[in-house]
Amino acid sequence: MCTGIRLITLLASFMTMAELAAEKIVIAHRGASGYLPEHTLAAKSMAYAMGATYIEQDVVMTRDNVLIVLHDITLDRTTDVSEKFPDRSRGDGRFYAIDFTLKEIRSLSATEGFRIQGGEKVQGYKNRFPMNTSSFGVPTLEEELELIQGLNRSTGKDVGIYPEIKQPEFHRDEGKDISSEVVRLLKRYGYTTKDHKVFLQTFSFEELKIIRNEILPEAGIDLNLIQLIGSEMSYPWMLERDGMEKLAGFADGIGPAKGLVISRESTTSNLEITPLVSRAHAAGLKVHPYTYRMDPGQLPSYASDFQELLRQHYFDADVDGIFTDFPDKAVEFLEAN
Ligand code: G3P
Ligand code: CA
């Protein structure tokens, strides 16, 4: 009898875990960027096939006002721009996407990220897809939306998108209203309500307010907005006791650096979970931290392996989703729990 009750209790708690896991999402950070060069359509297709719930797009603008999917506002780290257009850098030596037309950007080869060291290109993550091999390009946001919507049609699934407006103040200084352009494009592709599978994200609270109070109402649509939080120093008020409550007037969720959820000072035996998630949830905000990587040297010292890191964040800290370069691992983890 006692064993039977225990079994039922165990089963109930197991089902609760399964239900909990089913609610949680996997955001493919720059696509399946642990396996293929970030933000290429190949990396997005792979993320889709791996079962990601959402696929991320970092968005910047070209000189001729086209939205492209690129993490940096410069082309230096992920393309061969310095070889194809050697005399087109600015005074700081960087090649800004906003100085190039789409046609020029289409002539570039995209590659696994690298840095210049001693005059040589050195691949950032050494175990990832080999730099300067195969053939990849920089996609437009429109091409990527068509890819994901096309796959949704052919597979019958409903994978979401997660665009980030990159450096909106820089774009404004350059005379471009990137947020309005992104919202216009999202509307054109049918993303018009909070029930649609899109989260629009930015690190800029000032821009978030403009999007919420001006751009979305002017477009006649409403979308879920995510405030990214890079560190304790970004907007200190957001991490105060009533910070999440204040933010909830503008955002639907937060995307904090994962160190703001579980302190980097944690140890295996003493996990220091910050109050951020519980405060966000109390304010009705979703929490989607970034970035979970399993490359050598990327695991926080409090986690013995990637699966443990996922358990600590998804279940111990109770986040609603994570940005990861390895979406297959997070999908497998949630399916097993
Ligand atoms: O947008 C979430 C995460 O991607 C933020 O970091 O620098 O990779 O855009 P970043
Ligand atoms: Ca991003």
Side-chain angles (χ1 to χ4, degrees), residues 136-204:
F136 306 100
V138 177
T140 65
L141 180 57
E142 196 165 357
E143 286 166 341
E144 182 155 337
L145 298 186
E146 288 180 2
L147 175 77
I148 294 168
Q149 293 196 345
L151 284 166
N152 280 343
R153 172 102 171 251
S154 59
T155 64
K157 295 204 292 187
D158 186 17
V159 170
I161 59 166
Y162 212 124
E164 179 186 345
I165 293 167
K166 279 290 175 194
Q167 302 205 22
E169 290 82 9
F170 166 82
H171 282 88
R172 281 185 198 287
D173 288 347
E174 297 283 328
K176 300 196 191 293
D177 180 358
I178 183 171
S179 299
S180 291
E181 293 299 328
V182 169
V183 166
R184 227 189 313 275
L185 190 67
L186 294 179
K187 182 178 178 182
R188 186 143 66 82
Y189 276 82
Y191 301 98
T192 56
T193 75
K194 287 191 177 190
D195 289 334
H196 289 131
K197 289 190 75 177
V198 52
F199 288 101
L200 183 58
Q201 45 165 341
T202 176
F203 276 104
S204 167

Side-chain angles (χ1 to χ4, degrees), residues 29 56 58 71 164 166 201 228:
H29 182 249
E56 191 202 24
D58 290 309
H71 177 267
E164 179 186 345
K166 279 290 175 194
Q201 45 165 341
L228 299 171

Side-chain angles (χ1 to χ4, degrees), residues 57-102:
Q57 302 77 32
D58 290 309
V59 183
V60 306
M61 277 179 91
T62 66
R63 182 171 152 187
D64 48 347
N65 300 321
V66 181
L67 299 166
I68 57 170
V69 182
L70 187 73
H71 177 267
D72 307 349
I73 56 171
T74 56
L75 294 153
D76 309 33
R77 183 177 59 85
T78 54
T79 76
D80 57 353
V81 66
S82 63
E83 287 134 51
K84 298 240 171 79
F85 297 95
D87 56 349
R88 294 279 296 279
S89 62
R90 291 194 182 185
D92 60 2
R94 312 299 298 274
F95 297 84
Y96 288 79
I98 210 160
D99 294 334
F100 292 80
T101 62
L102 179 64

